Structures are given as structure tokens and as C-alpha cells.
Amino acid sequence: MGELEPKDDTVVTSIPDGVSLEDIRTAESKEKLTTALHDVLGYEAALQAGSDPSTVVLNWKGEVPSKLAELQQNPPAGTELIIRKSKYSEDELEKAGAALLLNARAKNGEPLIAYVTPAEDFSGLNASVRDVADDTRSTDQLESDLERIAGTPVTIRSRQASVTGLARQNDSSPWFGAGIMRKDSTNSTCSLGVAAVTSGGYGRLISAAHCDPGGNAAWRTAAGTLITSGGTNVTVRHPSIDAMRIDPEGGTSPKVWSGSYGSSSSR
């Protein structure tokens, strides 16, 4: 019997055109830094890219905790953490943005905000608003009205007749998990947990039963798109485990929105 050929355990990986080994190493180092930040903060913070690919910028209001300062002084090799002092915290801007989504209305009572995100330096909010025909307020007037609702500066980035950019606040079919949904009857908001598919192949969304204990409310995205008309399309079978099943308009996708409340990134 002849000798067996030695087993070749080499894994061959191709690198896309335009991407260098240095790019890959930088991305791996940056991921170590963002993971370390998550471990220190206990949550996934909204981060900005620095002028260098290996640099991460974190906006921070108030005194920097000792563990965060230590990470800034000793980041993973090949990376840099810049902590930028900000006027508002991420939590404050999340609450201000949620207030706009819930309470900002056009003259005819329709939801006014298409989407809202923190300013890059956390100095306030950037918003896109619906250009409703019978709402003749100027941009300056709108910004002033929105600032009274949010309690922070608001800059209107665009006015549009319809919402075109999909994001956590403005999803559409096929629906992702972790989107924001608004109850028709009260304008209160909750988050969609995950998207799922039944054994029969039908798309469903799973949220928390405490959002709608009766299991019959109609829900929309924060931007106003109908998710479900409610009634028998919303089911709470086991309140003890705080789960609610939603039969949405259209289908679902095996993805979730990631990042902050105004994020347009998914995975």
C-alpha cells in the first residue's frame, strides 16, 4: 500500500481588491478597542470615526470614570481613543429624540419627524421632517418649535414629502428586529425584539407583552408606516414570559437594527 498524502490543513482566504493586510489588522485592532469600551461602559456606545482609521471618538459629558480614562491611556496596540467633551450625554439625547418622535406634530396632527439622530459632537439633535402641505412654518420656526419639545438644540437637515431612508425609526417590509414601534392609540413607543418565521414559513415579529397586555393594538414605525393593524394580528399567549407575537404587514428579515436609537445600521 502506498503512503498516504499528508493532510493539508491550510486555510486559503482571498483578500478583496483594494484591501490590504494592514487594513485587516487595523480593523481587528479597532474591534478590540470597541469591545473594551463595551466592557467598561456596559453598553454599546455611539462612536465616531477619527481622522485616522485606527482612531475612535467617544463623546462624553461630565467627569470621565477612572476605568474609561485608563482605557484611553492604555488602548489596544495600534489604536487611539479620543474622549471628546460634549454638552449632552447619549442618554439625554436619546430621551430628547424620543420626545420629538412622540410629540412633534404637523398642523394637521400627523407625525412630523421622519427620523432624528444626535449631532456628531452631541451638541444637540439633527432631524429630518415631513414636508406636510398645510404646514407652512419656516425652517427657523420649526427648529424653534422642535427645540421647545426636545429641550436641546435641533437642526433640520432635510424636509421631505415621504420617508426614503430606512432606519430603526423607519423600517418597512421585510421587517428587521430591534426597530422602534409606536402604538396608534396612545403614541407610546416600544421596541421590536426579533423577527421570526413560523414552521409554516410566515414572518412574525416578537416584542414584549407589557407593551400591549391586551394583545390587540395597532402599531406603526416612529415615522408612521403601519406595522400591524392589531386585533387578531397581535397575540399575547403567555403574559408570564412577557412575550407578544405580531403578524406584520408584509414579511420579516433575519436581521436586526444595531447601534443607537437613531441608527441606520443593521446586522
Side-chain angles (χ1 to χ4, degrees), residues 157-204:
R157 292 298 190 188
S158 64
R159 300 179 70 159
Q160 51 194 49
S162 61
V163 180
T164 56
L166 296 182
R168 170 167 276 159
Q169 302 171 14
N170 176 39
D171 201 1
S172 67
S173 176
W175 306 94
F176 291 6
I180 292 177
M181 60 181 189
R182 175 173 55 82
K183 189 184 291 187
D184 252 9
S185 57
T186 63
N187 279 328
S188 60
T189 58
C190 272
S191 61
L192 290 166
V194 294
V197 177
T198 69
S199 58
Y202 299 103
R204 297 291 184 265

Side-chain angles (χ1 to χ4, degrees), residues 41 43-48 57-59 90 94 118 120 122 259-260:
L41 300 175
Y43 62 92
E44 186 177 346
L47 303 171
Q48 279 80 43
V57 180
L58 172 69
N59 292 313
E90 184 172 354
E94 282 194 15
E120 184 174 318
F122 280 18
S260 67

Side-chain angles (χ1 to χ4, degrees), residues 25-34 52-56 71-82:
R25 294 191 185 100
T26 298
E28 290 175 342
S29 297
K30 197 170 180 179
E31 184 176 356
K32 291 178 181 177
L33 176 55
T34 56
D52 184 273
S54 62
T55 301
V56 168
L71 178 60
Q72 183 184 28
Q73 294 297 318
N74 301 285
T79 65
E80 179 185 11
L81 172 61
I82 296 175

Side-chain angles (χ1 to χ4, degrees), residues 1-265:
M1 181 181 293
E3 293 185 7
L4 295 175
E5 291 286 338
K7 183 179 179 181
D8 185 358
D9 290 326
T10 302
V11 177
V12 179
T13 303
S14 61
I15 300 176
D17 292 340
V19 177
S20 67
L21 284 173
E22 186 61 30
D23 292 334
I24 295 174
R25 294 191 185 100
T26 298
E28 290 175 342
S29 297
K30 197 170 180 179
E31 184 176 356
K32 291 178 181 177
L33 176 55
T34 56
T35 299
L37 268 172
H38 183 278
D39 292 342
V40 169
L41 300 175
Y43 62 92
E44 186 177 346
L47 303 171
Q48 279 80 43
S51 56
D52 184 273
S54 62
T55 301
V56 168
V57 180
L58 172 69
N59 292 313
W60 193 265
K61 177 185 177 182
E63 184 178 350
V64 176
S66 58
K67 288 186 177 181
L68 183 56
E70 182 180 345
L71 178 60
Q72 183 184 28
Q73 294 297 318
N74 301 285
T79 65
E80 179 185 11
L81 172 61
I82 296 175
I83 299 177
R84 179 169 57 195
K85 291 184 178 180
S86 61
K87 184 175 182 180
Y88 298 98
S89 69
E90 184 172 354
D91 183 62
E92 287 172 332
L93 291 178
E94 282 194 15
K95 291 177 179 177
L100 282 186
L101 289 169
L102 283 173
N103 302 312
R105 291 287 183 268
K107 293 296 186 181
N108 62 6
E110 292 182 5
L112 183 63
I113 303 298
Y115 56 85
V116 58
T117 60
E120 184 174 318
D121 60 357
F122 280 18
S123 60
L125 297 171
N126 294 329
S128 177
V129 299
R130 294 169 180 266
D131 199 5
V132 181
D134 63 351
D135 196 325
T136 58
R137 286 175 288 181
S138 68
T139 297
D140 286 345
Q141 288 175 316
L142 271 176
E143 287 181 342
S144 179
D145 290 345
L146 295 179
E147 286 173 3
R148 281 194 288 272
I149 295 172
T152 69
V154 177
T155 299
I156 294 176
R157 292 298 190 188
S158 64
R159 300 179 70 159
Q160 51 194 49
S162 61
V163 180
T164 56
L166 296 182
R168 170 167 276 159
Q169 302 171 14
N170 176 39
D171 201 1
S172 67
S173 176
W175 306 94
F176 291 6
I180 292 177
M181 60 181 189
R182 175 173 55 82
K183 189 184 291 187
D184 252 9
S185 57
T186 63
N187 279 328
S188 60
T189 58
C190 272
S191 61
L192 290 166
V194 294
V197 177
T198 69
S199 58
Y202 299 103
R204 297 291 184 265
L205 295 166
I206 308 299
S207 187
H210 67 255
C211 296
D212 178 21
N216 60 7
W219 293 89
R220 297 180 182 273
T221 66
T225 303
L226 183 67
I227 298 174
T228 179
S229 56
T232 57
N233 293 319
V234 180
T235 305
V236 175
R237 289 186 176 178
H238 303 289
S240 61
I241 60 174
D242 199 22
M244 174 172 67
R245 188 182 69 180
I246 297 172
D247 181 1
E249 299 286 320
T252 59
S253 172
K255 291 186 176 182
V256 294
W257 294 108
S258 59
S260 67
Y261 73 100
S263 173
S264 59
S265 62

